[in-house]
Amino acid sequence: MLLDSTTKVIVQGITGSQGLYHAKLMRDYNTQVVGGVRPGKGGQEVDGFPIFDSVMEAIDATSATASVIFVPAKFVLGAAIEAIVAGIKLLIIVTEGVAVQDTMEIKHRALKAGVDLIGPNCPGLIAPGKAKIGIIPTNIVLPGNVGIVSRSGTLTYEVIYQLTNAGMGQSLCVGIGGDPIKGWNFIESLEYFQNDPNTDKIVMIGEIGGNAEELAAEYIKNNVTKPVVGFIAGKSAREGKTMGHAGAIVMGNVGTAAGKIKALEEAGVKVAEKLSEIPDLFK
Amino acid sequence: MGLILEFEGKELFRKYKLNLSKSILVTSAEEAKEASSKLGLPVVVKAQVLSGGRGKRGLIKLAKTAEEVIQHSIDILSMQSDGRQVTHLLIEEGADIAEEYFISMVTDSYTLETLVLFSIEGGVDIENLAEERPEMIDKIRIPFNGDHQPFIFMSTLAKRGLTGNKKIQIARIMSTMVTMMQKEDITLCEINPLVVTKNEEVIVLDARIIVDANATFRHPERAEYLSEELRNSENEKDAKAQDLAYVDLGGEIGMLSVGAGLGMATADLIAVFGGSPRNFLDVGGGAGADKVEHALRIMLKDAGLKSILINAFGGITRLDEVATGILQARDKFDKIKSGEIPLVCRLMGTNYVEGIKILEDAGIKAYKDMEPAIEEAVNAAKGN
């Protein structure tokens, strides 16, 4: 299980306003937020959260296995390396605007150390009724058996809300984030849902640009037996600025909404035109 | 992601000691003539603009005499590119070209490899070449933090018939470019063409580089780049100063949203209901009331705006803050206050109950669901 009510979580950047605000919301949702890290403020306490100078000390004292990072973008690389070296197994980076090279370094290290990395620039995870790490609003979720994975934060919320309104609860919602380079992508999320006994159905929310949806479609075709419903944002977008020659050559004719929808449909995924159609497509 | 101008890219190449022709940046025909007398004729007059295809558009011209330098400079400086007047020219020594090559590299976002593309048929439209004769493009994958010394590239170059000093120099350039990708936070690094002169000298003739906008903290000088100035319209600059994103979409409905994904989905639904977005203001995660007010202020600057749609789903954003920002804007901006431009709101997520109450207490209707709100905004834009 990636995340449940026994998962012990620390917050890196807990003394910042967003870090503390969301640490409290996570705790309010009965997540075991066992402390926070802020170098120089070790030994203090903020709103009942013990503060540590380093991730390693936090783990020594609390046995935390998960960490969520809220520090400013230019400090994310240092914070993430610290978490990985200290032995954190599930690392969520909420911060947006992290430099590509920094994300590459973090991802490279996470892969080597066997750390499940989510983000950066992502809303994180919520296992409805159990726990949440990140910033997904709790008032829209409902426990159930639908796994949701999405590239966009606010679209994730929108889809959760639509499903909840239709009475379809969620097993785990994963916001993988909008950056081109990220930890978990669709494939890792789909693999998790396929193997997760609590998940019977999967919703996948993609958007124009890149080729993650096309790769996911290929993966679904070969590996996923649970029903998948998809949605692609950006259908009405005009052709944007090109990525440059190399990008176009590497990717070929991919990245458009039409291409992604076609790839998903060929993999047996039902693709919704409007978000509100998603619940009905499982019937 | 920011494409930088040729002369800015060449400065980066110079820092890494790649061989370039001498060049001088100028802003007038007078300066161009002076530059050409320093460099010696012939020279090439090159407009410094962000769009490609400069040769075809008459934005690059060879000048063999001082008169031609002046004439070409006057001509190009009177032209437009990307909706703006050309303001800067690069005056560059002419090169005696014998052969033209192509080198380009990007990062594979899935494997983290640097993908190096090379072709002995440079100087042409590489996208066409890739489609018509893909076998003419070599691909070399360099693992993250992997070896990328010149020897890595030599066998590929040798198979294309390159030998001797020419092969060694090109392998060195490729190796240096991979280093630059990492050290300079570059996401696309391209030379087309890389030329070999009749004297077997290898020269970098163009530079097409995209730098990572999120890495400016490591390269603070980039905030002052001319490309940064050219990239952004007045509204984009205004939005950026407030830490907002602005996109000009040309239709009639102003969209304010939290996050690009929801913004795109909102635009899609506007299209489904038969409308079209005028602009998109993304206030991003965690926006406070003042940011929302600024977003609406910028939105109102665009002509042709017929209605405003606020579609906010709050995760890190608190919707009581969004609602307060909407009220601040209504009280300050007559077009909203007078009802000239109708405002449709939809709030859901963190603190939405408080947000909706703030709006309703002030007489503004707010939806919980996005589809009816979008439909109403489309109808309002049509005057229904």
Side-chain angles (χ1 to χ4, degrees):
Chain A
M1 193 55 57
L2 192 67
L3 168 66
D4 63 20
S5 54
T6 65
T7 309
K8 290 183 175 168
V9 185
I10 55 166
V11 177
Q12 289 178 260
I14 198 165
T15 54
S17 66
Q18 293 292 351
L20 184 59
Y21 177 71
H22 288 284
K24 287 194 262 181
L25 289 181
M26 283 186 257
R27 181 173 61 188
D28 291 345
Y29 201 61
N30 292 325
T31 310
Q32 291 206 39
V33 182
V34 293
V37 175
R38 169 66 164 84
K41 295 203 174 165
Q44 300 181 17
E45 201 171 276
V46 176
D47 271 281
F49 296 113
I51 310 295
F52 301 91
D53 285 321
S54 68
V55 178
M56 238 180 251
E57 288 167 278
I59 292 178
D60 288 344
T62 67
S63 306
T65 56
S67 178
V68 55
I69 293 181
F70 282 98
V71 304
K74 59 178 168 181
F75 303 122
V76 165
L77 176 63
I81 289 176
E82 191 190 334
I84 293 167
V85 170
I88 287 292
K89 286 297 160 204
L90 173 60
L91 180 60
I92 284 107
I93 304 174
V94 174
T95 309
E96 67 176 287
V98 179
V100 171
Q101 284 295 332
D102 294 355
T103 304
M104 287 172 68
E105 178 73 36
I106 295 165
K107 179 168 177 161
H108 182 69
R109 285 172 179 262
L111 283 172
K112 262 201 327 206
V115 173
D116 284 307
L117 171 70
I118 318 272
N121 186 19
C122 83
L125 302 169
I126 186 164
K130 293 175 182 152
K132 80 156 181 172
I133 307 180
I135 63 172
I136 296 177
T138 56
N139 55 358
I140 51 171
V141 299
L142 179 73
N145 62 1
V146 183
I148 300 177
V149 53
S150 170
R151 262 169 81 176
S152 149
T154 42
L155 261 188
T156 316
Y157 314 155
E158 194 66 59
V159 174
I160 296 172
Y161 176 66
Q162 302 276 357
L163 286 170
T164 296
N165 274 353
M168 298 179 74
Q170 306 90 39
S171 52
L172 182 72
C173 309
V174 188
I176 55 176
D179 284 3
I181 300 183
K182 52 170 83 72
W184 271 30
N185 212 315
F186 286 119
I187 290 179
E188 289 78 6
S189 313
L190 290 163
E191 184 184 3
Y192 178 83
F193 288 138
Q194 174 65 24
N195 296 326
D196 174 26
N198 297 324
T199 300
D200 296 328
K201 299 168 183 153
I202 303 166
V203 176
M204 159 183 167
I205 308 299
E207 60 192 49
I208 50 171
N211 67 340
E213 291 79 5
E214 287 83 349
L215 292 172
E218 192 61 33
Y219 181 84
I220 291 168
K221 208 187 282 179
N222 299 321
N223 303 284
V224 178
T225 55
K226 296 178 183 177
V228 184
V229 169
F231 176 82
I232 302 293
K235 290 185 283 288
S236 65
R238 291 178 302 177
E239 202 167 325
K241 288 160 194 154
T242 60
M243 243 187 83
H245 299 313
I249 292 166
V250 178
M251 305 309 181
N253 186 26
V254 297
T256 64
K260 289 173 190 296
I261 290 169
K262 184 163 175 276
L264 288 169
E265 284 180 341
E266 280 171 7
V269 176
K270 289 183 186 167
V271 182
E273 173 80 18
K274 297 189 227 168
L275 289 169
S276 57
E277 294 168 5
I278 291 174
D280 283 340
L281 288 177
F282 280 118
K283 286 171 190 160
Chain B
M1 294 299 148
L3 180 67
I4 60 175
L5 291 164
E6 178 193 4
F7 80 94
E8 293 163 341
K10 284 184 167 172
E11 256 159 50
L12 274 177
F13 282 143
R14 244 178 222 116
K15 183 171 154 190
Y16 287 81
K17 313 245 182 298
L18 298 195
N19 192 31
L20 296 126
S21 298
K22 286 198 190 82
S23 60
I24 298 169
L25 185 71
V26 303
T27 56
S28 69
E30 195 76 1
E31 287 175 13
K33 187 183 155 228
E34 218 169 282
S36 70
S37 66
K38 273 186 207 155
L39 297 167
L41 291 162
V43 295
V44 185
V45 181
K46 303 166 102 175
Q48 297 302 289
V49 296
L50 291 169
S51 290
R54 286 181 296 170
K56 281 181 221 157
R57 294 190 288 145
L59 291 166
I60 294 183
K61 282 187 172 149
L62 177 69
K64 291 177 182 153
T65 64
E67 290 69 37
E68 281 183 358
V69 173
I70 293 171
Q71 194 53 52
H72 291 334
S73 299
I74 290 170
D75 289 348
I76 295 175
L77 285 170
S78 72
M79 293 169 79
Q80 295 236 331
S81 178
D82 311 299
R84 291 167 180 273
Q85 192 77 25
V86 176
T87 54
H88 289 69
L89 304 172
L90 192 66
I91 308 298
E92 190 167 71
E93 272 182 328
D96 208 354
I97 300 170
E99 292 154 41
E100 295 185 287
Y101 300 106
F102 163 87
I103 305 173
S104 182
M105 44 192 76
V106 286
T107 301
D108 182 323
S109 58
Y110 213 74
T111 63
L112 307 183
E113 293 161 321
T114 301
L115 178 61
V116 181
L117 305 180
F118 172 77
S119 180
I120 55 167
E121 295 193 15
V124 297
D125 186 335
I126 286 295
E127 272 154 19
N128 287 343
L129 183 67
E131 212 157 277
E132 287 156 19
R133 287 184 301 136
E135 71 280 4
M136 293 311 296
I137 298 177
D138 294 305
K139 296 182 184 177
I140 304 161
R141 289 181 171 270
I142 307 293
F144 180 74
N145 277 348
D147 287 318
H148 58 272
Q149 294 93 324
F151 70 79
I152 298 277
F153 305 98
M154 290 212 195
S155 147
T156 303
L157 298 177
K159 281 177 194 148
R160 291 290 181 185
L162 276 78
T163 56
N165 186 45
K166 192 162 69 181
K167 178 182 72 186
I168 290 168
Q169 281 198 52
I170 294 176
R172 273 195 194 138
I173 290 170
M174 292 165 109
S175 167
T176 303
M177 286 168 78
V178 177
T179 304
M180 288 177 69
M181 292 277 287
Q182 188 194 343
K183 291 229 156 71
E184 297 295 333
D185 290 285
I186 291 171
T187 57
L188 170 87
C189 192
E190 186 170 293
I191 301 172
N192 187 25
L194 176 75
V195 303
V196 179
T197 65
K198 289 179 180 140
N199 303 325
E200 291 265 302
E201 192 189 355
V202 179
I203 301 175
V204 174
L205 217 56
D206 198 8
R208 183 177 159 81
I209 292 179
I210 296 179
V211 297
D212 179 1
N214 288 337
T216 306
F217 71 93
R218 278 196 283 266
H219 315 277
E221 72 285 358
R222 287 183 189 165
E224 308 300 320
Y225 271 10
L226 177 62
S227 50
E228 201 53 37
E229 171 72 20
L230 295 184
R231 196 180 342 275
N232 300 306
S233 66
E234 279 311 310
N235 280 358
E236 281 168 315
K237 275 181 222 163
D238 191 348
K240 230 175 172 178
Q242 305 300 334
D243 198 21
L244 297 160
Y246 163 91
V247 187
D248 186 352
L249 296 165
E252 52 199 17
I253 300 167
M255 294 195 299
L256 185 153
S257 192
V258 183
L262 185 60
M264 270 191 278
T266 305
D268 291 349
L269 272 175
I270 287 176
V272 168
F273 289 120
S276 63
R278 175 66 191 90
N279 50 28
F280 171 45
L281 273 299
D282 182 357
V283 297
D290 289 346
K291 215 165 159 181
V292 172
E293 182 195 319
H294 276 296
L296 288 167
R297 174 181 61 77
I298 294 165
M299 179 185 284
L300 287 166
K301 290 203 286 185
D302 279 328
L305 186 73
K306 301 251 176 69
S307 72
I308 295 172
L309 170 64
I310 293 163
N311 184 12
F313 210 119
I316 203 160
T317 311
R318 305 175 210 176
L319 293 159
D320 48 333
E321 284 284 328
V322 173
T324 306
I326 295 169
L327 287 195
Q328 281 173 212
R330 185 190 66 169
D331 293 343
K332 274 192 195 163
F333 309 127
D334 278 344
K335 281 183 186 169
I336 302 178
K337 201 175 186 177
S338 66
E340 180 191 336
I341 297 181
L343 175 82
V344 182
C345 301
R346 181 280 175 128
L347 305 183
M348 180 48 60
T350 307
N351 293 359
Y352 82 94
V353 176
E354 293 86 337
I356 288 179
K357 186 167 186 311
I358 290 170
L359 291 179
E360 284 179 346
D361 286 351
I364 298 174
K365 187 181 166 195
Y367 289 89
K368 288 198 293 184
D369 288 305
M370 69 188 260
E371 282 175 26
I374 293 172
E375 196 169 6
E376 188 185 321
V378 172
N379 287 334
K382 289 176 180 155
N384 299 335

